[in-house]
Amino acid sequence: MAATPSIHDILKTYWGFDQFRPKQEEIIQSVIDGKDTLALLPTGGGKSICFQIPSLAQEGLCLVISPLIALMQDQVQNLKAKGVKALMIHSAMSRREIDITLDNAAYGDYKFLYLSPERLETELFQARLKKMNINLVAVDEAHCISQWGYDFRPSYLNIAALKEQLVNVPFIALTATATTAVVQDIQEKLLFRKSNVIQKSFLRKNLAYVVRKTENIIATMFKVIDGIGGSGIIYTTTRKRTKEIANVLLEHGLKADYYHAGLSSDERQNRQRDWISNKTQIIVATNAFGMGIDKSDVRFVIHVDLPSSLEAYFQEAGRAGRDEKKAFAVLLVSPSMIGDLNHKTELEFPEIEFIKKCYLSLSNYFQIPIHGGLNQSYDFDIRDFSNKYKLNVSSCYRALHFIEKEGLISLSENFYTPSKVNIVLTKQDFYKFQVAHKIYDYFLKTLLRTYGGLIEGYVSINENELAGNLKSNKLKVIETLLRLQKLEVIDYIPKGTLPKITYTRQRVDHVHISKVHYEERKKITFEQVNSVVKYAENESVCRSNTLLNYFAETIDSSCGVCDICLRKKKAN
């Protein structure tokens, strides 16, 4: 038997690094020693390595629980590019795709399986779990498990049930931002056998936090960009505004683009790639941008709207200056912003009766009977839905997110999924079909030459590419694929671009939304908003110290580089 590679060998082989970043090695060793571990590393601290290396150093599979499809997709693609076998399950997959993926996880030599917390309770997953040789459970974005966190998701509470089934398997929880209450809550909710928190200081000496109060956000934004230069991110809260600001930047001769979850997967990847390679200087984005992106030379992050929490702000601002060189996190504040933020937050909590009405309408829209729909996913066009039931689109969107937080549904982001094909016959039966049906022989041979692995599982295809190889056209290719599917030779899943709604609980007759729970969430949310307002209005305490104190970290001295510290220096 070959010797198990050391964690340093793995780091060098797969990542090309000679040494770990601060706290990474300590976290990895804690996991290898079998300890439940909460890893607190700020944005850019290299969290994924902390569960990927321990799993690669041992026999078996790492189960990675993550809330975002885009984040899972990025990590799986990165692992595959390194030659590591990784799988993912998401709501845009068919039941058969999920079935094959779980079979591969149970019986194949895969090292990572990524999935959302909603999938843990499904019959398909539970049936295969007993057959998986799991060496580690990694809970990414672990703050989602805490009602005190800024993105609480009830489905995360289901994760603890794995403890009973995986008795001797360590858990690692990872997050970039957590207050004292959240740190304690994560460990309690995940049933840690013993408190074990390994945290890198949130102090960023090279990052200057700045608040600029201004009557003209756009003019001040240009002054900041001109004064700093280099690569940057501008965060705003609406999709519409990302495009508007990017166009203003382009008109002023700056290489800019915009990014939000409503773009197709290809558009998002291309814009992200252009920005990372510095073809684009500035990306204007909603909070959908930044997760899992490793770009070290970002010189500035500008917020042109107030964020909803200091946790979100700290995470987004922390994407500047990962190369340890001087960088700036600038929050632009206009006189109307605080009132706007409070109003927007109030709108995040529609009336309970309206939420119930949306749920009832949704179930009627998909024609789901009482006690039906469990784990079923549906393409969802919110505009069509809102028009049909005469509901305001924005209010409806917020109500659906509240229903999601109640654990009744899961609403995925807009997610482009390419067309896929799987040959459902055995090799022997497939050959018999080719012999008996010469009319399809050339088509099937071309399909097999163009795409490998079709018998083993689902493979992404491009109908245009296949049409070119067949010297045909796309419509004829699709028609033939559908005929072969009807003959039960293949399973063909056409591409999709709509968001998905998955029923994570069977449809209920009467939605019960606890008023206590509703009011408690509202109270916590407004407390987070008030922390942002205090940060923006503060004119006496070092910005860095304010943020560190929020996360229960204290240091003896001020940063010396924020706008408040510089103002005090100038006054002296």
Side-chain angles (χ1 to χ4, degrees):
M1 185 182 287
T4 303
S6 74
I7 60 174
H8 292 90
D9 290 340
I10 295 169
L11 181 69
K12 182 67 175 175
T13 301
Y14 292 103
W15 283 269
F17 300 139
D18 292 313
Q19 59 185 23
F20 289 100
R21 294 180 189 176
K23 296 295 179 180
Q24 282 182 331
E25 188 168 0
E26 186 181 348
I27 293 165
I28 290 166
Q29 195 55 56
S30 174
V31 173
I32 288 174
D33 290 342
K35 298 175 184 175
D36 292 332
T37 307
L38 172 54
L40 275 178
L41 295 176
T43 303
K47 290 186 289 297
S48 57
I49 275 178
C50 295
F51 64 82
Q52 289 170 350
I53 287 183
S55 184
L56 288 169
Q58 303 173 84
E59 287 291 323
L61 175 83
C62 177
L63 191 63
V64 187
I65 300 161
S66 176
L68 297 171
I69 294 175
L71 190 55
M72 288 194 276
Q73 189 181 41
D74 284 346
Q75 291 200 13
V76 168
Q77 286 175 347
N78 289 336
L79 285 166
K80 286 180 177 178
K82 291 177 171 63
V84 177
K85 296 183 77 173
L87 301 160
M88 68 179 284
I89 292 173
H90 55 76
S91 57
M93 294 167 67
S94 69
R95 182 183 174 88
R96 180 173 165 77
E97 278 184 281
I98 293 169
D99 208 22
I100 290 172
T101 301
L102 289 170
D103 261 355
N104 286 334
Y107 304 113
D109 57 343
Y110 286 85
K111 291 302 297 181
F112 296 92
L113 172 62
Y114 285 74
L115 75 171
S116 67
E118 291 85 7
R119 293 282 153 190
L120 298 177
E121 291 185 301
T122 63
E123 287 180 22
L124 280 177
F125 175 77
Q126 286 295 320
R128 299 307 201 297
L129 178 61
K130 299 164 189 171
K131 298 179 174 71
M132 293 180 194
N133 178 23
I134 293 174
N135 60 25
L136 176 63
V137 176
V139 183
D140 208 3
E141 306 298 323
H143 55 268
C144 293
I145 204 170
S146 173
Q147 66 168 335
W148 307 106
Y150 71 100
D151 191 20
F152 173 57
R153 296 181 183 230
S155 56
Y156 262 65
L157 298 172
N158 302 332
I159 299 169
L162 289 172
K163 278 277 185 183
E164 296 174 17
Q165 296 157 292
L166 306 170
V167 179
N168 297 315
V169 176
F171 277 50
I172 177 171
L174 308 105
T175 183
T177 49
T179 61
T180 305
V182 173
V183 166
Q184 184 177 339
D185 214 17
I186 290 170
Q187 295 178 89
E188 287 177 2
K189 295 291 194 301
L190 288 176
L191 306 176
F192 271 32
R193 290 161 286 191
K194 184 179 178 184
S195 178
N196 183 26
V197 183
I198 301 176
Q199 177 176 354
K200 181 185 176 185
S201 170
F202 287 142
L203 177 63
R204 296 284 303 279
K205 291 182 179 179
N206 66 309
L207 185 56
Y209 296 98
V210 178
V211 174
R212 287 274 180 267
K213 294 179 180 174
T214 176
E215 299 278 350
N216 190 328
I217 292 289
I218 299 299
T220 307
M221 177 189 75
F222 276 113
K223 284 181 184 176
V224 172
I225 294 169
D226 291 343
I228 300 170
S231 179
I233 309 171
I234 297 172
Y235 279 109
T236 183
T237 53
T238 67
R239 295 178 181 183
K240 182 181 177 185
R241 206 161 178 225
T242 61
K243 187 175 182 179
E244 290 172 350
I245 292 174
N247 285 338
V248 170
L249 293 168
L250 287 167
E251 286 168 8
H252 281 73
L254 293 166
K255 292 180 180 177
D257 211 335
Y258 64 96
Y259 183 108
H260 57 68
L263 300 172
S264 73
S265 178
D266 284 347
E267 286 175 313
R268 293 202 303 268
Q269 286 179 16
N270 290 338
R271 291 174 194 206
Q272 181 177 303
R273 194 183 304 117
D274 286 348
W275 178 72
I276 288 172
S277 64
N278 290 320
K279 287 181 183 176
T280 301
Q281 179 193 352
I282 301 165
I283 195 87
V284 188
T286 60
N287 61 6
F289 182 77
M291 287 283 190
I293 292 172
D294 188 13
K295 180 170 169 65
S296 64
D297 62 344
V298 180
R299 298 276 62 85
F300 62 86
V301 171
I302 301 171
H303 281 74
V304 294
D305 293 306
L306 285 175
S308 58
S309 69
L310 284 182
E311 288 95 331
Y313 178 70
F314 187 77
Q315 193 170 46
E316 290 158 9
R319 293 181 179 127
R322 293 185 186 178
D323 56 6
E324 302 298 327
K325 296 177 183 176
K326 188 66 179 289
F328 296 83
V330 183
L331 177 62
L332 303 182
V333 184
S334 70
S336 64
M337 271 190 186
I338 290 169
D340 290 345
L341 180 60
N342 281 313
H343 177 65
K344 180 188 164 194
T345 307
E346 192 69 49
L347 290 175
E348 293 298 321
F349 292 84
E351 294 293 326
I352 288 177
E353 287 308 310
F354 181 80
I355 296 170
K356 290 180 177 180
K357 181 180 179 182
C358 276
Y359 179 80
L360 176 63
S361 299
L362 190 72
S363 299
N364 290 335
Y365 183 69
F366 293 126
Q367 298 185 330
I368 299 171
I370 303 297
H371 307 309
L374 179 62
N375 297 321
Q376 296 298 309
S377 294
Y378 305 88
D379 287 336
F380 183 59
D381 184 336
I382 192 168
R383 292 197 176 278
D384 180 63
F385 169 71
S386 301
N387 289 337
K388 185 169 184 177
Y389 293 96
K390 296 180 173 55
L391 301 169
N392 176 273
V393 174
S394 298
S395 300
C396 180
Y397 186 74
R398 294 182 182 106
L400 290 173
H401 273 287
F402 203 91
I403 294 167
E404 181 180 39
K405 288 189 184 296
E406 288 294 310
L408 296 169
I409 63 169
S410 172
L411 177 62
S412 79
E413 65 264 37
N414 268 49
F415 185 61
Y416 170 79
T417 53
S419 299
K420 295 172 188 173
V421 168
N422 171 227
I423 293 171
V424 297
L425 299 176
T426 64
K427 284 183 181 179
Q428 189 176 4
D429 287 340
F430 181 71
Y431 175 72
K432 286 179 182 176
F433 178 86
Q434 283 180 287
V435 171
H437 300 80
K438 291 291 183 185
I439 189 172
Y440 295 112
D441 188 53
Y442 177 63
F443 183 94
L444 290 169
K445 281 179 178 174
T446 306
L447 180 66
L448 288 167
R449 277 199 302 268
T450 309
Y451 305 103
L454 289 162
I455 290 179
E456 287 76 29
Y458 284 85
V459 175
S460 298
I461 68 158
N462 182 310
E463 290 90 345
N464 285 320
E465 179 185 31
L466 191 54
N469 292 345
L470 288 162
K471 296 181 175 54
S472 181
N473 63 62
K474 183 179 176 180
L475 288 176
K476 285 186 178 177
V477 165
I478 292 172
E479 185 183 319
T480 306
L481 289 168
L482 290 171
R483 280 207 307 270
L484 287 166
Q485 178 166 258
K486 198 170 181 180
L487 291 166
E488 298 184 349
V489 176
I490 65 169
D491 188 22
Y492 169 55
I493 304 171
K495 68 181 180 182
T497 55
L498 285 170
K500 295 270 187 181
I501 278 186
T502 303
Y503 273 67
T504 49
R505 292 282 183 275
Q506 62 185 19
R507 181 195 164 178
V508 295
D509 191 8
H510 299 289
V511 180
H512 175 70
I513 295 174
S514 163
K515 198 163 185 180
V516 174
H517 181 210
Y518 178 91
E519 294 300 336
E520 186 65 26
R521 281 303 308 160
K522 193 170 182 178
K523 178 172 174 280
I524 292 168
T525 302
F526 270 100
E527 284 172 359
Q528 290 166 343
V529 165
N530 289 336
S531 295
V532 172
V533 172
K534 276 187 186 177
Y535 176 81
E537 292 184 330
N538 163 45
E539 293 187 355
S540 59
V541 181
C542 165
R543 301 276 178 210
S544 183
N545 283 2
T546 300
L547 290 168
L548 291 172
N549 288 339
Y550 184 77
F551 295 110
E553 184 178 343
T554 55
I555 55 172
D556 297 330
S557 58
S558 298
C559 73
V561 293
C562 72
D563 60 301
I564 289 173
C565 287
L566 291 177
R567 196 182 307 132
K568 286 181 178 178
K569 280 182 186 176
K570 197 172 181 181
N572 293 334

